[in-house]
Amino acid sequence: MKKKMLLLNLYRFKPKVGKTSLIMSLVSEEFPDEVPLRAEEITIPADVTPERVPTHIVDYSEAEQSDEQLYQEISKANVICIVYSVNNKKSIEKVSLVSVVPLILVGNKSDLVEHSSMETILPIMNQYQDIETCVECSAKNLKNISELFYYAQKAVLHPTGPLYCPEEKELKPSCIKALTRIFKISDLDNDGILNDSELNFFQRTCFNTPLAPQALEDVKNVVRRNMMDGVKDNGLTLKGFLFLHTLFIQRGRHETTWTVLRRFGYDDDLELTQEYLFPMIKIPPDCTTELNHNAYLFLQSVFDKHDKDRDCALSPEEVKDLFKVFPYMPWGPDVNNTVCTNEQGWLTYQGYLSQWTLTTYLDVQRSLEYLGYLGYSIIYEQESQAAAITVTRNKRIDLQKKQTQRSVFRCNVLGARGSGKSGFLQAFLGRNLQRQRRIREEHKSFYAISTTYVYGQEKYLLLHEVMPDFDFLTETDLSCDVVCLVYDINNPRSFEYCAKVYKQYFIDSKTPCVVIAAKSDLHEVRQHYSLSPHDFCRKHKLHPPQPFTCSTNEAPSKDIYTRLTTMAMYPHLALSDVRKIKTSHLQCIVHARLRCMCACNRCTYCLCQNLLKLELLRSIKAQLRTVVFNRHMAQADLKNSTFWLRASVGATVFAVLGFAMYRALLKQR
């Protein structure tokens, strides 16, 4: 926590109550022989104070200062100490005329009387809620001098006002709300009870020390004696948790509750601090932000914690329960049309992680805020939730090195209005045209994100539908890893927009582009453009238009999305080979280099795949397997080392010959 400068104004309304003597006794640790009208301003270093906070002490003198100067000092103060003399009833009566926040009542000269002034002071304390405490001391014999300044510090660092209502003798609503969030975060299994393991974790997190088993039982016994439902199944319920903090405050241990609140990110007004919610994170230009492995593990635990029916999906009620630790609902209905859902429209585990990935990529500050609400830095014992973020390296370095460590790739989808962009996005989430028609207009999303697999690696592909305002395309609309230009084959004016966008923005770009011939189930008409889509792609050395439709009985094919992710991962292949080689040979080279599944039947990869899939080869393999098993499985010489040596040599020779043939075909291509 940031160190605070405390300003203590000690002032009087009746002369000679001993306020200046208190300051001088504190500094010199002895009673002064001569007392000036006003002590000089002094600062007590942080290392000599119990709370490790520097303390600035300001004295006030009626003889030397005006009322205006008094008000100026009061406005600067963090706490006001009002000094009265315990042997002077008139000075006590003057105290009842003042109410400044926060206040410490100081009864000085306790060495001159044998009785306490508390009976007279208690009605005043009950009348003014802003009075934190009252302490009797003596500047002459140094009684309670250190305690006075300790209580003054405590009144600032651990005030009662925001936490507790003395009249009602209960916690204030804002305090209950904050402690409830803390309880839910600490309830790691979401069963509504803090068991011994969770209580120990909570204790270690807030106070850096676990509770002994007997101490745990003592705490629960205290709650049992005072509440019927404070302990359940030998664990602490929310009511019991709140009761404990009420008890701490009533017994004057405000610092315990404040330590818990500040560890979980709260300020003096019981609001989460900006430093907690938005930790500093540097993002250089042309770099992206992703969640790291620990962040995904944390989010997985949050999902499992709230997936009570264990169906690998979050129902609307489970989503609401998950976000109870938030001050607002962060996800709207459009989220269900941005990520994968089950047949009921509930967020699946994959969709849940995809939404988090999308938020981190598009708005990392919001992702940090969300992780802060969920308590990532507390649960994972990190300095801040910035530890959950990976900032990728510059894309230009990826191009130079011809490899990338990124996991999220962005594809901007452009096309004329009605060309099928929205359908292309929803098809990526496994929704055919029939399911897409159920989506309400106000719940539509301009984003879709899900996972694809490239070389066996799971990657996220983020599709962004760009609005078709040709003259208002922003830098964000143009900045991506791969571009999809979508046109409707049944609309003669649809392709013209794609051609103009490509020539205006992407013809000299290093971003791979793919033309999508959408609604391929419909009749193809001639486009009203100087070149046909195929001729346009041939002229500009692009892939031929890729036919696509989402008007299917089953979920649409995802092959095109895998290809887009591959091109985004390896733009140097998609660009250098595409633009240097004839279009007719393009697929062969790209597929041979990237090992993508295709059906061109011309590239080396396809030839080898076809060879392995030959019916003749399959039948030979089946016959060999039958012969081996029939001859050897029932015979004792199956265990003979000679048989296994022959089998191993034969398999090795076959593998070497197969690999040599593959390399020969690859070189020939």
Side-chain angles (χ1 to χ4, degrees), residues 3 44-53 55 146-147 149-151 153 157-158:
K3 299 299 182 183
I44 302 175
D47 55 357
V48 298
T49 60
E51 294 291 345
R52 313 295 296 176
V53 177
T55 305
S146 298
E147 285 77 4
F149 293 97
Y150 167 73
Y151 285 126
Q153 285 185 323
L157 296 174
H158 312 126

Side-chain angles (χ1 to χ4, degrees), residues 333-351:
D334 60 314
V335 169
N336 289 22
N337 299 316
T338 304
V339 298
C340 293
T341 58
N342 61 13
E343 291 295 330
Q344 296 170 286
W346 298 353
L347 282 178
T348 62
Y349 172 68
Q350 178 187 344

Side-chain angles (χ1 to χ4, degrees), residues 448-510:
I449 183 170
S450 189
T451 54
T452 60
Y453 287 87
V454 178
Y455 297 163
Q457 302 177 47
E458 185 182 61
K459 302 294 180 181
Y460 283 94
L461 179 63
L462 164 60
L463 301 180
H464 174 214
E465 179 184 346
V466 178
M467 296 302 293
D469 294 329
F470 180 81
D471 297 326
F472 297 97
L473 293 180
T474 65
E475 185 177 347
T476 304
D477 296 333
L478 304 174
S479 176
C480 57
D481 301 300
V482 63
V483 174
C484 267
L485 300 172
V486 181
Y487 76 98
D488 179 1
I489 67 169
N490 193 242
N491 184 348
R493 298 189 178 277
S494 183
F495 180 73
E496 183 179 7
Y497 177 88
C498 297
K500 287 182 177 180
V501 166
Y502 178 80
K503 292 171 70 175
Q504 178 72 26
Y505 297 105
F506 299 106
I507 192 169
D508 296 321
S509 170
K510 293 184 178 180

Side-chain angles (χ1 to χ4, degrees), residues 90-255:
K90 290 184 178 180
S91 70
I92 298 176
E93 292 171 357
K94 288 286 186 180
V95 171
S96 64
L97 300 176
V98 181
S99 176
V100 183
V101 183
L103 297 175
I104 303 291
L105 298 185
V106 182
N108 193 23
K109 302 185 180 182
S110 63
D111 59 295
L112 300 180
V113 296
E114 295 181 358
H115 62 275
S116 173
S117 63
M118 287 300 174
E119 290 185 4
T120 310
I121 288 297
L122 281 176
I124 299 174
M125 294 183 65
N126 293 331
Q127 182 180 357
Y128 298 101
Q129 301 178 20
D130 303 319
I131 298 176
E132 290 287 332
T133 188
C134 178
V135 58
E136 290 186 346
C137 59
S138 171
K140 187 172 184 178
N141 59 21
L142 306 183
K143 177 186 176 182
N144 288 341
I145 299 295
S146 298
E147 285 77 4
L148 158 64
F149 293 97
Y150 167 73
Y151 285 126
Q153 285 185 323
K154 187 176 178 181
V156 176
L157 296 174
H158 312 126
T160 308
L163 305 181
Y164 186 74
C165 181
E167 291 80 8
E168 303 294 335
K169 295 184 179 180
E170 60 183 24
L171 298 175
K172 288 188 174 180
S174 57
C175 182
I176 294 175
K177 182 180 178 182
L179 291 174
T180 301
R181 170 181 169 267
I182 292 171
F183 180 89
K184 286 188 67 65
I185 290 174
S186 304
D187 182 13
L188 301 178
D189 55 9
N190 199 33
D191 62 351
I193 299 170
L194 294 184
N195 56 38
D196 288 356
S197 175
E198 291 165 342
L199 279 171
N200 260 318
F201 177 80
F202 170 81
Q203 178 76 12
R204 189 176 68 252
T205 299
C206 297
F207 305 101
N208 298 318
T209 178
L211 284 172
Q214 185 58 47
L216 275 174
E217 287 303 315
D218 291 343
V219 168
K220 287 183 280 190
N221 287 334
V222 169
V223 178
R224 284 191 186 99
R225 287 195 297 267
N226 291 274
M227 295 191 74
M228 291 293 295
D229 51 356
V231 177
K232 181 181 178 182
D233 297 335
N234 202 34
L236 204 62
T237 65
L238 175 59
K239 288 185 177 180
F241 184 74
L242 295 175
F243 168 77
L244 273 181
H245 284 281
T246 305
L247 198 62
F248 291 147
I249 295 169
Q250 289 174 344
R251 293 182 177 180
R253 293 175 56 188
H254 312 75
E255 63 274 11

